[in-house]
Amino acid sequence: MRNFFAEPSQIQEDWIELDRAEVHHARDVLRLPAGAPVRVIDGRGAIYQGIFDPGTGRVRVQQTDAAKPFTCGVTLAVALLKGEQWDWFLEKSVEIGVSRIVPLITERGVVKLREREFEKKRNRWRQIAISALKQSGQAFLPHVEKPVSLETICGAEGNSPGARWILSERGGASLKAVLVPDLKHITLLVGPEGGWSKGELRAATDEGFEPVSLGSQVLRAETAPIYALSVIRYVTG
């Protein structure tokens, strides 16, 4: 059964009006016939099963289910990556089940994205996330926030409940040692290819972020958060 996406505003009690892009994909690309069974996800946990009408671009709802959220929410605050690397990270993190993504502007990061430039990318990043959501069947669309500095997110998350970790190549407890199944939320900071500066590490630890390590292997900047997220999802369910 094919998955589609619709905003809550497009959903009525008995029918869902797909947007133009989704109708084109269903009718002209997939060539779904009238009455084809489809699944529609709203990104907020609701999953609708119904039948597609090519003429109107609507889905007649036959069944509505509510997905259970993950028991552990995960915020990934990741140093901005170059184009395709960031797109790959974004896609895979949504597939695995990230809760929130915060792009970081760091001292040694090669990508410096100003706010007006982010506005141009916002819609594209959202479409990548929606595509990954549909492909994987995940029910919750993570929010991708505007880029901030490490100091900004550390200050914002300093008093938040749950685990607060910063990936470090300079020691720290192993992820295996600190990760326990009953955690309710994790905020994980992941640095750029050049690593964190001493000042950034100090700023994070001063705000209560604990350095953690993924082991002796050196992972690429886009691989490290996906590796960590996969382990977190496996352990916390």
Side-chain angles (χ1 to χ4, degrees):
M1 189 181 298
R2 296 287 185 171
N3 290 328
F4 295 89
F5 177 81
E7 301 283 359
S9 60
Q10 299 169 241
I11 301 169
Q12 304 300 320
E13 184 175 353
D14 299 320
W15 54 269
I16 301 169
E17 188 159 355
L18 299 178
D19 66 23
R20 185 178 301 176
E22 292 287 66
V23 172
H24 168 71
H25 186 65
R27 183 173 57 200
D28 304 325
V29 178
L30 299 176
R31 298 187 181 278
L32 295 182
V38 297
R39 185 186 292 111
V40 181
I41 303 167
D42 73 349
R44 300 185 181 183
I47 302 174
Y48 303 86
Q49 297 187 41
I51 57 174
F52 177 62
D53 179 0
T56 63
R58 290 181 172 183
V59 173
R60 182 157 58 86
V61 177
Q62 296 180 315
Q63 179 179 328
T64 304
D65 300 303
K68 292 183 179 180
F70 288 108
T71 56
C72 180
V74 180
T75 293
L76 286 181
V78 179
L80 278 163
L81 301 158
K82 295 178 182 178
E84 291 185 359
Q85 293 174 317
W86 180 265
D87 293 350
W88 182 88
F89 153 72
L90 181 60
E91 178 183 80
K92 302 311 173 189
S93 64
V94 173
E95 289 179 12
I96 297 169
V98 70
S99 307
R100 174 177 167 233
I101 296 172
V102 183
L104 294 182
I105 300 172
T106 59
E107 290 183 26
R108 298 176 180 172
V110 295
V111 180
K112 308 292 184 182
L113 189 66
R114 295 184 176 86
E115 186 168 349
R116 64 177 179 272
E117 295 171 328
F118 166 67
E119 292 303 324
K120 297 177 182 178
K121 292 182 179 291
R122 183 198 295 269
N123 186 62
R124 182 170 179 275
W125 287 356
R126 178 174 170 80
Q127 291 308 311
I128 291 172
I130 289 173
S131 179
L133 192 81
K134 294 191 297 180
Q135 187 278 326
S136 63
Q138 295 283 9
F140 296 92
L141 184 68
H143 181 56
V144 183
E145 300 188 1
K146 69 179 182 180
V148 297
S149 68
L150 179 74
E151 289 75 11
T152 297
I153 190 167
C154 285
E157 299 289 317
N159 296 318
S160 64
R164 287 166 288 159
W165 299 330
I166 179 168
L167 282 188
S168 173
E169 297 177 3
R170 304 174 188 172
S174 71
L175 181 62
K176 180 180 179 181
V178 298
L179 188 56
V180 293
D182 60 352
L183 285 171
K184 299 303 180 186
H185 191 270
I186 296 168
T187 300
L188 181 66
L189 309 179
V190 185
E193 292 182 6
W196 302 111
S197 70
K198 291 181 179 180
E200 287 173 328
L201 276 172
R202 185 169 53 253
T205 55
D206 285 348
E207 292 290 351
F209 281 82
E210 179 183 357
V212 297
S213 168
L214 297 182
S216 59
Q217 68 270 40
V218 179
L219 302 180
R220 293 178 64 90
E222 70 271 25
T223 307
I226 299 303
Y227 178 94
L229 179 61
S230 300
V231 174
I232 290 168
R233 282 285 167 250
Y234 177 78
V235 173
T236 65

